[in-house]
Amino acid sequence: MNKEIVLTGIKPTGTPHLGNYVGALKPLIEQSRNHKTYIFIADLHALNIIKDPQEIKRHTYEIAAIMMSLGLDVNNSVLFKQSDIVQVYQLATLLMNVTPKGLMNRAHSYKAAIDKNIAAGLDEDAGINMGLYTYPILMAADILLYDTDVVPVGADQKQHVEFARDIAGYFNHIYGKTFKLPESIIGESTGIIPGLDGRKMSKSYDNIIPLLAPEAELKKKIMRIITDSKLPEESKDPDTSTIFQLYKHFASDVEIEEFRQQFLSGGMGYGTAKTILFDKINSVLSKPRAEYERLMMNPSEIDKVLETGAQKARIVAEKTLARVMKVMLGK
Ligand code: TRP
């Protein structure tokens, strides 16, 4: 068991899709086999966008059930809800006092929101709440609270992890070494996972394939993948084909090579290729899907796992917060 502490948060703002699985969830589950891994559902971070509690709750259960059914080792790892740990709200408030306002002004997501307002001819802060503005401080609290060494995230979150490191540095400079300096690891090795239209699979492009949707829905989505208009007998380019790019993440090396040859040699229509892709993905996901469906019918089982996770997380959180209260307030 490696000693490094790994932590990441998943925002309950959408139903996880195949791109999330390949790029984030699968590597995370693999990592949990030999690292102490904290995975939490970042429900507090969803609040600046989602105002419907039932929606947050539903996505929270979905994410927890997905992690459990994909084989997350719940003994090696700590799966919990961010909002169950009161120390994170407390630490975020305390960290405000060492966080320069200018750092928040530089956050990509805040700047993007301003740019959007300006482009729409609105006041630059229109619709921007303090949850969005201070988002990086809460995220720093998440990371620093559990003595995290590494934070696996997508490239869009890299700056937030750097901010957590900066904030830890400012804090340590004033109060003496209190926090570890965390580092991000960016999951680049998987490359971009294309969605139905060939662009990066993303909720905002409305081109996703849900991860554990019922079989019929998975099939329907796959059959809708956009292709070029090559005829069955023509040779096709696997490297620009969404079908092939998705297949690569689910098949063995031998199968991938075979499928590549079928593309190149011609004789396989896109309809057939899609059926092959569907069969492959379905064979990998059918067991987790059954377990996922079972768990979603038994939410108390999910609650139990999340509660056990929160108990474990709280032990570390209490210690860290006590350390911080002592150096900041002499308590
Ligand atoms: N901001 C992250 C996202 O949008 C989610 C998140 C919240 C997170 N807290 C975190 C990720 C701490 C890593 C570490 O995906």
Side-chain angles (χ1 to χ4, degrees):
M1 184 98 173
N2 192 302
K3 286 238 168 54
E4 278 189 337
I5 294 173
V6 177
L7 170 138
T8 200
I10 304 169
K11 246 188 334 188
T13 49
T15 303
H17 54 71
L18 286 187
N20 300 137
Y21 170 71
V22 172
L25 306 181
K26 193 168 156 224
L28 195 57
I29 287 167
E30 277 157 20
Q31 194 141 35
S32 77
R33 306 231 158 86
N34 48 22
H35 287 79
K36 171 112 185 171
T37 307
Y38 290 90
I39 301 168
F40 61 88
I41 299 153
D43 50 359
L44 297 174
H45 273 119
L47 288 173
N48 76 77
I49 311 170
I50 304 189
K51 307 298 181 194
D52 173 4
Q54 294 312 322
E55 194 182 340
I56 296 184
K57 243 179 122 166
R58 178 166 56 86
H59 290 313
T60 299
Y61 277 119
E62 283 171 358
I63 293 166
I66 282 177
M67 296 311 281
M68 290 162 70
S69 58
L70 288 175
L72 179 77
D73 182 344
V74 282
N75 296 316
N76 243 345
S77 53
V78 183
L79 180 67
F80 63 104
K81 266 190 278 185
Q82 182 187 29
S83 63
D84 280 349
I85 311 297
V86 291
Q87 287 80 6
V88 82
Y89 313 61
Q90 298 174 316
L91 183 58
T93 300
L94 295 168
L95 292 178
M96 302 252 174
N97 302 288
V98 300
T99 305
K101 177 169 176 282
L103 194 69
M104 299 299 99
N105 292 341
R106 291 209 303 274
H108 298 320
S109 45
Y110 171 62
K111 286 203 321 201
I114 288 182
D115 289 346
K116 219 169 134 189
N117 279 335
I118 292 172
L122 298 168
D123 179 82
E124 63 170 35
D125 276 330
I128 298 179
N129 57 46
M130 290 303 284
L132 173 69
Y133 190 60
T134 61
Y135 187 108
I137 305 179
L138 180 58
M139 185 154 157
D142 287 329
I143 295 170
L144 302 179
L145 192 57
Y146 304 101
D147 290 329
T148 307
D149 293 295
V150 286
V151 187
V153 280
D156 64 323
Q157 297 296 314
K158 188 170 187 260
Q159 188 197 37
H160 286 150
V161 181
E162 280 162 10
F163 281 5
R165 192 183 167 88
D166 292 343
I167 292 171
Y170 298 136
F171 191 102
N172 289 350
H173 181 71
I174 301 170
Y175 294 106
K177 183 156 187 335
T178 309
F179 293 120
K180 280 192 197 168
L181 300 184
E183 266 174 58
S184 59
I185 16 173
I186 310 298
E188 271 157 334
S189 56
T190 49
I192 287 176
I193 317 299
L196 297 178
D197 58 359
R199 291 186 292 173
K200 179 184 168 172
M201 192 180 291
S202 162
K203 197 179 110 183
S204 49
Y205 292 150
D206 197 17
N207 66 356
I208 67 156
I209 304 178
L211 176 55
L212 295 181
E215 189 171 311
E217 192 183 335
L218 176 67
K219 184 156 201 171
K220 210 163 96 190
K221 290 276 183 186
I222 288 177
M223 291 302 164
R224 254 192 234 152
I225 292 174
I226 294 172
T227 63
D228 58 31
S229 51
K230 290 227 165 79
L231 298 168
E233 58 273 20
E234 284 181 87
S235 165
K236 301 172 184 66
D237 180 8
D239 297 317
T240 56
S241 164
T242 301
I243 303 170
F244 184 75
Q245 294 311 313
L246 289 174
Y247 187 81
K248 280 204 299 197
H249 295 290
F250 293 88
S252 70
D253 289 349
V254 177
E255 290 168 328
I256 294 168
E257 196 40 44
E258 223 172 84
F259 203 37
R260 172 185 288 282
Q261 290 313 322
Q262 284 177 282
F263 266 80
L264 293 173
S265 64
M268 173 182 67
Y270 282 124
T272 308
K274 287 177 183 177
T275 304
I276 293 173
L277 174 65
F278 165 74
D279 287 340
K280 185 80 254 167
I281 296 184
N282 196 44
S283 72
V284 174
L285 295 181
S286 63
K287 253 197 173 158
R289 183 196 297 127
E291 173 61 2
Y292 172 78
E293 284 168 0
R294 192 192 66 76
L295 285 166
M296 290 301 276
M297 303 281 287
N298 294 282
S300 63
E301 249 183 76
I302 305 174
D303 287 335
K304 233 183 261 164
V305 168
L306 292 175
E307 189 40 50
T308 308
Q311 279 166 15
K312 289 194 215 167
R314 216 168 275 134
I315 295 171
V316 185
E318 279 169 2
K319 280 193 194 142
T320 308
L321 193 75
R323 206 158 74 220
V324 174
M325 297 284 264
K326 184 153 186 235
V327 295
M328 288 187 98
L329 291 161
K331 286 210 179 180

